[in-house]
Amino acid sequence: MKEHSPVYDGRMMDITVRSGRVEEEAADAVVVMHCEGEPRLTGGASALDARLNGRLAALLKSGEFTGTPNQVSIVHVAPGEGVRAKRVVLVGLGKRKEVSLEKLRQATATAAKASRAVGAVSFAMPVQDHAELLTGLPAASRLHDIAQALVESAILGLYEFTVYHTERKDEAKAIRRMTVLVSDSNALAQVQQGAEQGQIVGEATTYVRDLCNHPANVVTPTYIANEAKKVARERGVRCTVLDRPQMEKLGMGAILGVAQGSHEPPKFVILEYRGGPRGERPVVLVGKTITFDSGGISLKPADNMEQMKADMTGGAAVLAAIRAATRLRLPLNLVAVIPATENMPGGHAIRPGDVLRSLSGKTIEVINTDAEGRLILADGLTYAQRFKPAALVDIATLTGACVVALGNHAIGVLGNNEPLIGELKDAGERCGERVWQLPLWEEYYEQIKSDVADVKNTGGRPGGTITAAAFLSKFAGDAVWAHLDIASTDWSERERAYIPKGATGVGARLLIQFLCNRADGTRPATRSR
Ligand code: BES
Ligand code: MN
Ligand code: ZN
């Protein structure tokens, strides 16, 4: 598998925003929503129903369609009915009182997938129908956020990773065009901007999914470095790649320790985007990038080990976030630090008991070579200090314990600064990648004291996510710092409305929302592709 199939290949869907009404739209499908248990159709659905001789209302009346979350019914348009689309896709939003952006994302993705399944190549959705359901959102940005949610979730729901299938069944089935319809043309600009943001954020997430779904024999540390250079070239940001000799010279003993068992050369990647005022301290993002985590000498069991090709989700999310920040022209300074290596066993691999001297000068006793993420992050966080970060955020598939603590529906957050943690929680709530805080009390530090070095790399089973963060905190210096553990959410065992089986691409949406909020306003004046 040496050919480098380009990540991010031609599955793009055209997205159009225009004034118009669903009943006039010539698409393969028009998608309209309905709230659970309500006897009457509203908005676009009722306009369509008037021309379809009440056939949508009949579905409701029969009880066949009730509008529970993500329920779908498809009605074909007969010739002469006065609806220009080929079919109407009716999708349930759940109870009116419980409608949220998240419900809207799920319903949209479900409807988009249902449209594709019946062979539609284009579909259209009205945006304003949803505004009256989401009165909890600030009025000034409501339509922007709804448009963003529609586009983002359609992109995410329709995502498929098929590049390695040579005998594909459903080859022909792909949606090529999505149209977002605006009934009040005064709202056109706002909806346009929201749709663009949805496209940028959606594509950032599918970019992460691609990088994580590609196997580790393709996506190596070198591949990541090349991808970062490509992003830098395309987006006009500065990129530095440190190779092993440069890392040795700097004294990055922690990441080099992890790398020494692998034949793949490690890369330490730095991207710098200067969108803010000169001299303003940057936000620095550090992403764990283990292109494959075998566990090393403390070898992992065989079951599910293949999922460890996604142990680079943090780094991919950081790369995607900086790429999106440039597309959004966010007015802030931003640095991405991406320490990339494999974790493999081998004659040269580190052993339990080995002591590593990290970039910070602190010595680390390696108890378990499978606790490699915190080792590479130690050097990443230390390196980040040189940028004097306004905020330092690391993101990592760090601990199995995070899955035990939070299941698959929350990202863990810990740190040394409550306002920063609050910002991440707010961003998570808003974008749909929710974040839950765990304590980082001084009592936990007892568990990572070493008899032979300054610190050891594991703290035993109790509170595994917390002791991992305690370890990281020792390398965060005096920066305002937070750590995101995405081991709970980076991989999905089952398909969900807008999350496929496999790599979820988690982290990109959260980081981008966090940066947008920081940039003060999610709608900067100018945008670019
Ligand atoms: N990459 C793993 C954590 C992980 C587990 C991510 C499950 C995604 C799903 C990490 O490097 C690891 O192996 N952590 C160990 C730490 C332990 C040895 C202290 C773990 O959680 O078992
Ligand atoms: Mn590991
Ligand atoms: Zn790992």
Side-chain angles (χ1 to χ4, degrees):
M1 237 11 130
K2 263 300 161 205
E3 92 281 10
H4 282 200
S5 38
V7 166
Y8 216 54
D9 58 359
R11 269 176 286 112
M12 301 288 206
M13 169 171 69
D14 278 335
I15 293 157
T16 311
V17 175
R18 65 159 163 266
S19 320
R21 317 186 134 280
V22 272
E23 57 284 16
E24 307 290 349
E25 187 63 24
D28 289 344
V30 287
V31 173
V32 286
M33 312 246 174
H34 184 72
C35 291
E36 184 174 343
E38 299 192 357
R40 237 182 267 289
L41 294 156
T42 56
S46 86
L48 288 163
D49 194 49
R51 299 193 183 188
L52 295 174
N53 302 312
R55 289 194 291 132
L56 297 180
L59 273 177
L60 287 186
K61 202 155 175 235
S62 70
E64 189 176 318
F65 180 89
T66 54
T68 53
N70 304 332
Q71 185 187 15
V72 174
S73 282
I74 299 181
V75 172
H76 271 257
V77 176
E81 276 183 321
V83 170
R84 292 183 65 201
K86 287 194 191 140
R87 47 179 89 70
V88 174
V89 177
L90 192 58
V91 57
L93 259 185
K95 297 200 179 72
R96 180 174 291 260
K97 279 208 179 72
E98 291 165 15
V99 174
S100 60
L101 277 181
E102 179 58 20
K103 286 260 165 53
L104 189 58
R105 287 186 200 105
Q106 292 187 17
T108 303
T110 305
K113 287 193 285 186
S115 302
R116 178 176 64 192
V118 296
V121 172
S122 61
F123 76 105
M125 287 183 77
V127 75
Q128 268 137 342
D129 281 11
H130 307 108
E132 65 197 68
L133 297 171
L134 288 158
T135 45
L137 297 176
S141 57
R142 199 175 296 154
L143 286 172
H144 172 283
D145 289 0
I146 291 168
Q148 179 184 345
L150 297 183
V151 172
E152 194 175 302
S153 59
I155 291 172
L156 295 181
L158 292 170
Y159 174 84
E160 287 176 305
F161 185 73
T162 56
V163 288
Y164 296 108
H165 287 297
T166 63
E167 298 165 5
R168 231 186 113 186
K169 290 173 273 154
D170 275 353
E171 190 121 44
K173 290 189 175 173
I175 299 240
R176 297 273 168 228
R177 196 170 67 249
M178 173 179 189
T179 307
V180 177
L181 295 169
V182 182
S183 55
D184 170 6
S185 58
N186 290 326
L188 210 52
Q190 192 189 157
V191 172
Q192 179 72 49
Q193 286 211 332
E196 253 177 60
Q197 180 145 350
Q199 182 171 3
I200 289 168
V201 175
E203 287 173 3
T205 307
T206 58
Y207 180 55
V208 177
R209 288 178 185 173
D210 276 351
L211 286 168
C212 295
N213 280 326
H214 273 289
N217 59 335
V218 172
V219 177
T220 58
T222 305
Y223 186 103
I224 292 289
N226 289 338
E227 199 58 31
K229 286 182 201 161
K230 195 165 95 194
V231 168
R233 209 177 324 115
E234 284 170 11
R235 306 303 321 163
V237 302
R238 187 166 161 200
C239 180
T240 312
V241 176
L242 307 180
D243 295 321
R244 197 192 316 255
Q246 292 163 290
M247 292 158 72
E248 280 166 357
K249 216 162 152 190
L250 288 170
M252 294 183 162
I255 180 172
L256 288 172
V258 176
Q260 73 193 36
S262 170
H263 291 279
E264 289 294 338
K267 303 285 168 183
F268 193 99
V269 181
I270 306 107
L271 291 157
E272 294 168 69
Y273 162 66
R274 305 273 158 199
R278 249 190 118 88
E280 189 172 277
R281 292 166 137 214
V283 173
V284 182
L285 305 175
V286 183
K288 171 179 172 182
T289 311
I290 295 289
T291 57
F292 187 72
D293 182 10
S294 69
I297 294 299
S298 314
L299 193 65
K300 285 185 182 298
D303 272 5
N304 299 329
M305 204 207 273
E306 74 285 353
Q307 293 175 10
M308 286 300 131
K309 67 179 179 176
D311 207 21
M312 37 153 299
T313 307
V318 167
L319 180 57
I322 203 161
R323 186 174 184 280
T326 66
R327 293 180 78 187
L328 293 164
R329 291 191 192 286
L330 294 187
L332 42 77
N333 296 331
L334 184 60
V335 178
V337 176
I338 302 172
T341 178
E342 265 190 336
N343 184 27
M344 296 289 271
H348 277 124
I350 45 169
R351 299 148 281 252
D354 282 5
V355 175
L356 304 174
R357 184 178 301 275
S358 67
L359 178 63
S360 70
K362 282 192 173 60
T363 54
I364 304 167
E365 182 188 10
V366 176
I367 299 295
N368 188 320
T369 65
D370 198 10
E372 83 300 337
R374 64 197 77 182
L375 295 175
I376 71 166
L377 289 173
D379 284 348
L381 290 167
T382 303
Y383 192 88
Q385 309 293 325
R386 66 169 65 192
F387 298 103
K388 305 208 177 326
L392 175 57
V393 177
D394 77 74
I395 178 163
T397 45
L398 204 63
T399 62
C402 188
V403 191
V404 177
L406 299 175
N408 300 119
H409 304 286
I411 294 167
V413 67
L414 308 94
N416 61 15
N417 183 277
E418 292 301 318
L420 178 61
I421 289 167
E423 280 181 60
L424 290 163
K425 288 203 280 196
D426 288 347
E429 197 62 52
R430 177 141 172 212
C431 76
E433 292 187 342
R434 284 174 298 174
V435 170
W436 198 260
Q437 187 178 7
L438 296 172
L440 192 50
W441 296 324
E442 62 183 43
E443 285 81 352
Y444 292 101
Y445 286 77
E446 201 61 44
Q447 286 169 245
I448 53 168
K449 281 192 177 147
S450 163
D451 295 332
V452 301
D454 297 333
V455 64
K456 61 182 183 185
N457 80 331
T458 61
R461 279 176 62 83
T465 304
I466 299 171
T467 52
F471 177 95
L472 295 179
S473 74
K474 294 190 168 279
F475 301 88
D478 52 14
V480 168
W481 161 79
H483 158 64
L484 296 163
D485 195 333
I486 51 171
S488 48
T489 47
D490 77 300
W491 192 269
S492 186
E493 296 283 355
R494 62 180 181 90
E495 181 180 335
R496 293 181 245 171
Y498 65 85
I499 296 176
K501 223 173 137 180
T504 62
V506 75
R509 292 196 293 145
L510 175 63
L511 291 175
I512 297 165
Q513 187 68 58
F514 163 71
L515 294 170
C516 283
N517 293 354
R518 262 217 160 213
D520 192 22
T522 46
R523 286 155 299 287
T526 45
R527 294 278 164 81
S528 83
R529 294 268 142 139

